[in-house]
Amino acid sequence: MSTATDRRVGLYLRYEQWHGLDRALLRSPAQPLFTRRAARRLAVLGYHGVEDPAAFAAQLDHLHARACPVSLRQVEAALHEGRPLPARAVLVTFDDGERSVLTHGLPLLRERGIPAVCFVVAGLVGTDEPFWWDGLSDAQQYALKQLPYEEFRRARARLPRAPRRPQLTPEELRELRDGGVEIGNHTLTHPRLDRCADTVVREEVTAAHELLTGHLGTPPGSFAYPNGDFDARADRLLAGLGYRTGFRYDHRLTDPADRHPLRLSRLRVSTRTTPARFETALSGLQPAVYRAGLAAFSAARRLRGGGSGTPPATATRDFVSPANRSSQISDSGK
């Protein structure tokens, strides 16, 4: 990968390990102000796996004590029927369909009566195929995601293949659903839709929809954009299929009153997110500071004649350094 890519990813990861800033934000006078403002908004948490069950349990307990977990159905009712959400409403979501959501996440969620949503890469269900990003460095992932779809496929095929891993089965998807975790569409193979031709976008959305409908017995009604990248073609397909919600991965709170139901924002978190960052993310303070930092960095790069130079907000799946991740490696989401 290029030196520029390595430098951008390295800068991003250094920021991610700067936990002193999170503690300073938590103690700042701005935190209570942002917390009061956030009470009128919806915080959608975007997880991937449950790498640290004990930390995830502590995060769920924090939500129980300081927020109000809501279900996807409640969010849909607020968006489409105008029903008010409770103050400090929080929706828990997971992307990709990591097995740890079933083995570690479901018991902890069920113990606390917290509903959630799991967006699944439908083409992997019932297989032992790895995720395409398994075994790749952050710099490799970032570089691959910038490529047009056909180039991406050729470049990924030239890189080493990751070991096989058991994916969730159709029976396990139904177990999650019956345990209070709704199943959503996360495309067929998880490409960046904005890098795909029209035919590929249609196949990725509709084939995944048909597979999940067969596995679940009912059609999914919620979608999460791979890598968090909105695509207008997918938006039209989802509307035609009757989807009621669609989620990005842009590290923002969302206001159901002024957001399109198929373009809802989410906060990037993981079970490795520190308590200080978790609390300041829920208030919206840390995301606001992060966006301001990106804008300042881009402006400085432009003044030096280096282009936009925006650090890769998609370099990692969430705010977690490589040293703190297990089996994770994308406004990625993944």
Side-chain angles (χ1 to χ4, degrees):
M1 302 300 160
S2 72
T3 301
T5 294
D6 289 337
R7 187 164 54 246
R8 292 179 187 182
V9 173
L11 176 63
Y12 179 79
L13 293 178
R14 285 196 297 275
Y15 168 81
E16 289 311 297
Q17 298 173 59
W18 188 14
H19 299 310
L21 174 61
D22 300 321
R23 292 190 291 270
L25 291 176
L26 185 61
R27 295 192 299 268
S28 76
Q31 173 64 6
L33 299 176
F34 273 76
T35 298
R36 285 196 293 273
R37 188 177 70 168
R40 304 188 299 273
R41 300 183 180 185
L42 169 66
V44 185
L45 302 182
Y47 289 91
H48 288 86
V50 181
E51 310 78 31
D52 186 334
F56 186 53
Q59 290 173 348
L60 295 180
D61 290 339
H62 178 90
L63 296 181
H64 246 318
R66 305 288 294 274
C68 184
V70 296
S71 69
L72 180 62
R73 301 298 170 221
Q74 288 175 277
V75 173
E76 291 175 346
L79 291 166
H80 295 281
E81 302 167 26
R83 298 185 186 179
L85 287 170
R88 298 179 177 83
V90 177
L91 176 65
V92 176
T93 72
F94 301 89
D95 280 6
D96 305 334
E98 294 267 1
R99 174 162 290 279
S100 60
V101 177
L102 173 71
T103 57
H104 300 317
L106 180 59
L108 296 172
L109 290 162
R110 193 157 44 192
E111 284 174 9
R112 293 158 177 80
I114 295 179
V117 190
C118 183
F119 297 101
V120 177
V121 181
L124 297 180
V125 173
T127 75
D128 61 356
E129 292 291 321
F131 296 111
W132 71 255
W133 54 87
D134 283 346
L136 300 182
S137 70
D138 293 312
Q140 287 174 318
Q141 290 180 58
Y142 176 70
L144 285 171
K145 289 173 188 174
Q146 313 314 307
L147 299 175
Y149 176 69
E150 293 300 333
E151 291 183 33
F152 157 79
R153 290 182 63 191
R154 290 192 293 270
R156 181 62 185 95
R158 292 193 294 268
L159 294 171
R161 179 184 174 87
R164 293 186 177 275
R165 59 148 83 188
Q167 300 284 356
L168 293 173
T169 66
E171 294 77 16
E172 289 169 334
L173 293 185
R174 294 192 289 271
E175 181 181 349
L176 281 168
R177 179 196 61 191
D178 295 343
V181 179
E182 294 280 349
I183 303 300
N185 184 344
H186 201 38
T187 70
L188 188 66
T189 66
H190 199 288
R192 280 191 64 170
L193 294 177
D194 62 335
R195 298 291 194 270
C196 295
D198 293 353
T199 54
V200 176
V201 172
R202 177 174 292 278
E203 175 71 9
E204 286 286 337
V205 172
T206 59
H209 179 81
E210 292 166 2
L211 278 175
L212 291 176
T213 299
H215 294 330
L216 301 169
T218 56
S222 190
F223 181 85
Y225 286 91
N227 208 58
D229 298 299
F230 172 77
D231 184 89
R233 298 163 299 173
D235 181 83
R236 291 191 292 270
L237 288 168
L238 295 169
L241 290 167
Y243 279 69
R244 292 171 62 79
T245 49
F247 293 89
R248 306 186 65 176
Y249 204 65
D250 50 357
H251 203 47
R252 295 173 181 266
L253 298 173
T254 196
D255 186 343
D258 62 11
R259 293 307 299 266
H260 191 291
L262 295 180
R263 307 170 197 175
L264 301 173
S265 294
R266 287 189 293 173
L267 297 167
R268 297 193 295 266
V269 297
S270 82
T271 62
R272 304 286 192 181
T273 300
T274 64
R277 179 162 290 184
F278 192 74
E279 193 163 346
T280 54
L282 283 170
S283 75
L285 175 57
Q286 190 273 335
V289 170
Y290 178 70
R291 290 193 300 275
L294 288 182
F297 181 87
S298 296
R301 288 281 292 176
R302 285 194 296 271
L303 287 173
R304 292 199 302 268
S308 66
T310 303
T314 62
T316 56
R317 293 215 271 171
D318 40 41
F319 289 103
V320 192
S321 70
N324 286 336
R325 276 181 284 152
S326 62
S327 71
Q328 262 190 273
I329 309 226
S330 145
D331 233 55
S332 155
K334 293 256 162 336

